[in-house]
Amino acid sequence: MTDLRHRGATDKDLQHQTSEDKGSEAEGKERDGASDNETKSDSGVPEVPVSADDTPEVLNKALSGLSSRWKNWWVRGILTLAMISFFFIIIYLGPMVLMMIVLCVQIKCFHEIIMIGYSVYHSYHLPWFRTLSWYFLLCVNYFFYGETVTDYFFTLVQREEPLRILSKYHRFISFALYLTGFCMFVLSLVKKHYRLQFYMFGWTHVTLLIVVTQSHLIIHNLFEGMIWFIVPISCVICNDIMAYMFGFFFGRTPLIKLSPKKTWEGFIGGFFSTVVFGILLSYVMSGYRFFVCPVEFNNDSNSFTVDCEPSELFQLQDYGLPPVLQSITVKLYPFQIHSIALSAFASIMGPFGGFFASGFKRAFKIKDFANTIPGHGGIMDRFDCQYLMATFVNVYIASFIRGPNPSKVIQQLLALRLDQQLHIFNSLKLFGPPHRSEHVCKWEMR
């Protein structure tokens, strides 16, 4: 890989060679320059300067008397509280605002990763490529959000003629848009830059897979009920905070070489804290319909609604303790049992999303994805674990929670022609449960 980067980086130098008659001396110089460039290419992009300080001036003045270790602790703590407060505000504003925030976070994460690619492969001069990267982002979002609109707003789509046409041919339109971008990429290929252009083509598509696909799963989780959105995200946040606190005060044993500051003490302390936090938060939220009801679109008010009769998952039930404590029973929401699985994943497997991001940053010698949030880095630095968590929650719901949905069946029936609906009706009448009189006859025969 180092050699490939070096070749891409020295294409411009080779173009400026005026002749081949400089003999072995010129070749020796070229080899020396190549080794220097190879060393530089190993470093990818320059490391973030240690002297760079993006902390707000107000905090710098207030914390000027502290050591760098404690100053960083206070900066991270204050801005963490600010982000948690912002999280509460957008929850209060409802699911539509949450979906818009997810989209904005997705775009910012995509921008941060793509900009690293541009820097590493020195590709600012490649024709159309920044335009194509954002064009592919637009195409993929059009496909995923179009699928979501068709699935969850079926009655609205069927009511409006333009939306019905777009829904019917949505996948063909999406493919045509992507194919246009693919052809533009092929037409933009430039001699002696083929490798760099294909590097960036792959870089863009992997970024789309990691960021856009998983942010789309977050929105799907949100439609199952806001509790499936809030609890997993909160568990990741809790684990991040508590692992940092335990590691800061008690950390002695390194956990993994990719992240030297991570310790076993922080990892274990974060695990138990997150499991307890998940159980308590689930108990509080399971009592409110606003959090447990699926997010649905109300055709009468043309707005989202979160009102329903809570399922058994969110109704208190008696649970017996082990035989030693057989006389004691506790009342729990079944969702609290599921929250243990969510909390365990957030604290055991979730950090591996952070380790993956740490390995990525070390590969390119950068400290953070960006400097968007002082003390925390970029948006991607805060959401590296969240994307992995979102995928797990979506798989968990599909595997253990979600059952047949009658409303989806009705939507499909309404999309059929009248004769097809009549055929299904007759089939149900023929193969449905026997009539009450048939039960009576069978009983009398016995």
Side-chain angles (χ1 to χ4, degrees), residues 434-446:
H435 194 267
R436 181 179 179 276
S437 60
E438 295 181 17
H439 283 291
V440 174
C441 293
K442 290 179 180 179
W443 178 259
E444 290 175 350
M445 290 175 66
R446 290 177 184 176

Side-chain angles (χ1 to χ4, degrees), residues 38-245:
E38 185 174 354
T39 303
K40 292 179 180 179
S41 67
D42 283 339
S43 63
V45 294
E47 292 188 18
V48 177
V50 179
S51 59
D53 189 1
D54 54 354
T55 307
E57 189 63 28
V58 177
L59 291 179
N60 271 329
K61 290 181 179 179
L63 305 174
S64 58
L66 299 177
S67 64
S68 59
R69 182 170 182 263
W70 279 99
K71 178 182 177 182
N72 181 63
W73 191 88
W74 279 104
V75 169
R76 287 177 64 94
I78 293 171
L79 291 173
T80 296
L81 291 176
M83 288 188 288
I84 292 174
S85 303
F86 177 70
F87 184 56
F88 285 146
I89 292 172
I90 61 175
I91 290 172
Y92 174 78
L93 293 175
M96 193 64 185
V97 176
L98 280 173
M99 284 188 282
M100 295 302 297
I101 293 297
V102 170
L103 178 61
C104 293
V105 168
Q106 173 213 119
I107 293 173
K108 186 64 175 71
C109 290
F110 180 84
H111 172 259
E112 290 177 0
I113 298 177
I114 287 297
M115 289 307 296
I116 293 174
Y118 290 144
S119 300
V120 169
Y121 295 120
H122 310 286
S123 56
Y124 285 102
H125 59 282
L126 297 181
W128 298 2
F129 217 92
R130 279 180 292 182
T131 302
L132 283 175
S133 296
W134 291 101
Y135 176 81
F136 283 126
L137 176 67
L138 178 65
C139 290
V140 175
N141 272 307
Y142 174 80
F143 171 74
F144 281 126
Y145 280 93
E147 293 283 310
T148 300
V149 169
T150 302
D151 193 24
Y152 290 97
F153 311 120
F154 180 80
T155 52
L156 174 64
V157 170
Q158 293 300 312
R159 193 172 63 192
E160 302 292 337
E161 182 65 24
L163 291 179
R164 185 159 62 247
I165 295 173
L166 287 174
S167 174
K168 183 177 181 180
Y169 301 106
H170 171 68
R171 294 194 176 185
F172 180 81
I173 295 172
S174 300
F175 178 73
L177 290 173
Y178 178 82
L179 195 60
T180 301
F182 179 79
C183 293
M184 290 173 63
F185 167 74
V186 173
L187 294 174
S188 71
L189 291 173
V190 178
K191 190 176 181 181
K192 295 185 179 180
H193 292 313
Y194 292 152
R195 268 197 195 90
L196 286 177
Q197 289 182 281
F198 277 102
Y199 283 157
M200 292 306 301
F201 186 78
W203 187 288
T204 300
H205 282 68
V206 171
T207 304
L208 291 172
L209 177 65
I210 293 174
V211 175
V212 182
T213 304
Q214 297 188 80
S215 65
H216 179 68
L217 297 181
I218 292 177
I219 293 177
H220 267 237
N221 299 340
L222 175 61
F223 276 108
E224 295 294 328
M226 291 182 66
I227 195 168
W228 291 104
F229 174 87
I230 297 171
V231 169
I233 287 181
S234 300
C235 285
V236 172
I237 294 173
C238 174
N239 182 71
D240 192 32
I241 293 173
M242 298 309 297
Y244 177 77
M245 297 285 286

Side-chain angles (χ1 to χ4, degrees), residues 144-403:
F144 281 126
Y145 280 93
E147 293 283 310
T148 300
V149 169
T150 302
D151 193 24
Y152 290 97
F153 311 120
F154 180 80
T155 52
L156 174 64
V157 170
Q158 293 300 312
R159 193 172 63 192
E160 302 292 337
E161 182 65 24
L163 291 179
R164 185 159 62 247
I165 295 173
L166 287 174
S167 174
K168 183 177 181 180
Y169 301 106
H170 171 68
R171 294 194 176 185
F172 180 81
I173 295 172
S174 300
F175 178 73
L177 290 173
Y178 178 82
L179 195 60
T180 301
F182 179 79
C183 293
M184 290 173 63
F185 167 74
V186 173
L187 294 174
S188 71
L189 291 173
V190 178
K191 190 176 181 181
K192 295 185 179 180
H193 292 313
Y194 292 152
R195 268 197 195 90
L196 286 177
Q197 289 182 281
F198 277 102
Y199 283 157
M200 292 306 301
F201 186 78
W203 187 288
T204 300
H205 282 68
V206 171
T207 304
L208 291 172
L209 177 65
I210 293 174
V211 175
V212 182
T213 304
Q214 297 188 80
S215 65
H216 179 68
L217 297 181
I218 292 177
I219 293 177
H220 267 237
N221 299 340
L222 175 61
F223 276 108
E224 295 294 328
M226 291 182 66
I227 195 168
W228 291 104
F229 174 87
I230 297 171
V231 169
I233 287 181
S234 300
C235 285
V236 172
I237 294 173
C238 174
N239 182 71
D240 192 32
I241 293 173
M242 298 309 297
Y244 177 77
M245 297 285 286
F246 275 91
F248 185 88
F249 290 106
F250 309 108
R252 295 292 182 273
T253 312
L255 175 63
I256 188 171
K257 291 182 179 180
L258 283 173
S259 296
K261 294 183 180 180
K262 299 290 193 301
T263 62
W264 276 104
E265 291 81 3
F267 184 80
I268 296 172
F271 169 77
F272 287 106
S273 302
T274 304
V275 171
V276 173
F277 171 80
I279 294 173
L280 295 177
L281 179 64
S282 300
Y283 180 82
V284 173
M285 296 185 66
S286 295
Y288 295 91
R289 294 187 179 186
F290 178 75
F291 295 120
V292 304
C293 290
V295 179
E296 297 178 345
F297 186 79
N298 190 314
N299 295 307
D300 298 328
S301 60
N302 287 328
S303 61
F304 290 99
T305 58
V306 285
D307 188 24
C308 68
E309 187 64 31
S311 65
E312 293 182 359
L313 199 62
F314 305 105
Q315 295 178 8
L316 283 172
Q317 298 183 18
D318 292 329
Y319 288 90
L321 294 178
V324 180
L325 304 171
Q326 192 170 7
S327 59
I328 301 176
T329 59
V330 294
K331 284 186 174 293
L332 294 174
Y333 293 101
F335 181 80
Q336 288 181 271
I337 309 300
H338 295 289
S339 74
I340 297 175
L342 300 179
S343 302
F345 185 90
S347 53
I348 296 175
M349 300 305 300
F352 280 85
F355 300 153
F356 177 86
S358 296
F360 180 89
K361 289 182 285 188
R362 281 181 170 272
F364 300 108
K365 305 299 182 189
I366 57 175
K367 180 182 177 183
D368 297 310
F369 284 96
N371 295 321
T372 308
I373 309 171
H376 291 269
I379 298 296
M380 191 64 198
D381 290 286
R382 294 297 91 210
F383 281 83
D384 46 11
C385 302
Q386 297 288 4
Y387 285 129
L388 187 61
M389 187 71 191
T391 304
F392 171 73
V393 173
N394 192 268
V395 172
Y396 189 87
I397 292 173
S399 302
F400 304 109
I401 305 298
R402 185 186 296 132

